Amino acid sequence: MNILSRSTIIRRRRALVHIVLRDMAETGDTTVPPWWEADIEQEFGGLSGFLAELSRQWWTAYAAHLDALIELGCDEPAQAWADVAEQMPQLRAVLDSYLDESALAEAERRHCDVLRWTTRRESRTAA
């Protein structure tokens, strides 16, 4: 039995996301073309899993950039959003195209909660 390591799975998923987004940028698509559905189904279990991965990548990049801005004395969430959207335009366009998908709702809620705590500058008690 061949069991893949977590890091192997992560690398494979990131590679697929990169290829799909690059293809979509070249074709101008902001929704996943049908020819990627089988690969996405196999790797992510469907569109919901793929969108969750895109959301994770977006929010990771956004949080890192916002943290850097805060360290520099600028706690502007809108500026961080604009900067990351400029750096990752295709990823943002795809997420915006699927904005009403339930797969993104929970991730969006969690990340907005984190953002509120981050920009409050209050101590957060450990749970």
Side-chain angles (χ1 to χ4, degrees):
M1 184 154 125
N2 183 13
I3 299 176
L4 298 174
S5 70
R6 180 157 171 72
S7 61
T8 299
I9 293 168
I10 290 169
R11 279 193 307 274
R12 196 176 63 210
R13 286 182 168 194
R14 284 182 184 159
L16 180 59
V17 165
H18 177 76
I19 292 166
V20 172
L21 289 176
R22 187 180 64 211
D23 179 55
M24 292 172 72
E26 289 173 2
T27 61
D29 290 322
T30 58
T31 58
V32 175
W35 56 85
W36 286 111
E37 290 173 3
D39 292 315
I40 288 171
E41 179 69 34
Q42 180 179 352
E43 191 60 47
F44 294 98
L47 182 62
S48 293
F50 181 72
L51 293 174
E53 175 60 20
L54 293 182
S55 177
R56 187 198 63 72
Q57 288 186 19
W58 169 263
W59 285 103
T60 299
Y62 175 75
H65 190 67
L66 180 59
D67 185 56
L69 289 178
I70 290 170
E71 290 294 321
L72 295 171
C74 173
D75 63 347
E76 283 297 321
Q79 182 62 51
W81 189 277
D83 292 347
V84 177
E86 185 178 318
Q87 295 165 7
M88 306 170 90
Q90 189 63 35
L91 191 148
R92 186 69 253 160
V94 173
L95 288 174
D96 290 345
S97 290
Y98 288 100
L99 194 59
D100 295 329
E101 286 289 320
S102 61
L104 296 176
E106 179 60 21
E108 190 76 13
R109 185 195 61 73
R110 279 193 325 263
H111 293 298
C112 287
D113 286 348
V114 169
L115 176 61
R116 278 192 293 279
W117 279 107
T118 302
T119 56
R120 276 186 185 169
R121 296 189 183 244
E122 295 176 4
S123 297
R124 183 174 184 187
T125 57

